[in-house]
Amino acid sequence: MNWSNWIRQSHRWIGIVFTLAVATNFVTMAFGEPPMWVVYSPLPPLLLQLLTGLYMFALPYFRDDMHYGG
Ligand code: HEM
């Protein structure tokens, strides 16, 4: 598996982790104020999503067989 593929797979799976962290927030909120670590738990996966997402966004512009904007 090459580097870009590894980044894409990471983005997919960290997306699941992020989703579970957000869902955990809603579930715990049903039982009152959630603990602080639950409230902030989506942020580390979200940061990784941002970095891997921006990497994937930039990828096509660095491909030498594609020339956007002439
Ligand atoms: C936070 C900033 C984020 C950025 C900048 C970002 C950016 C991107 C980009 C550029 C792609 C590739 C699109 C393409 O095929 O050209 C992508 C794919 C994807 N993103 Fe994100 N993303 C972000 C957050 C998230 C989050 C929070 C989730 C899920 C909860 C998510 C789930 C996915 C999935 C499932 C794909 C498809 C991956 C695949 O090819 O199988 N992303 N994202």
Side-chain angles (χ1 to χ4, degrees):
M1 188 184 278
N2 65 32
W3 186 242
S4 309
N5 229 316
W6 190 86
I7 295 276
R8 183 175 287 272
Q9 291 304 316
S10 303
H11 192 82
R12 294 190 72 193
W13 284 105
I14 299 162
I16 299 296
V17 174
F18 171 77
T19 304
L20 290 175
V22 172
T24 303
N25 265 275
F26 282 97
V27 171
T28 51
M29 263 181 239
F31 303 98
E33 184 100 344
M36 212 169 65
W37 68 268
V38 170
V39 173
Y40 291 115
S41 64
L43 294 182
L46 182 60
L47 176 69
L48 293 176
Q49 288 297 84
L50 179 66
L51 297 175
T52 52
L54 289 176
Y55 176 87
M56 282 195 288
F57 180 87
L59 265 187
Y61 301 100
F62 290 98
R63 276 175 63 170
D64 52 14
D65 61 342
M66 250 187 225
H67 296 283
Y68 291 97

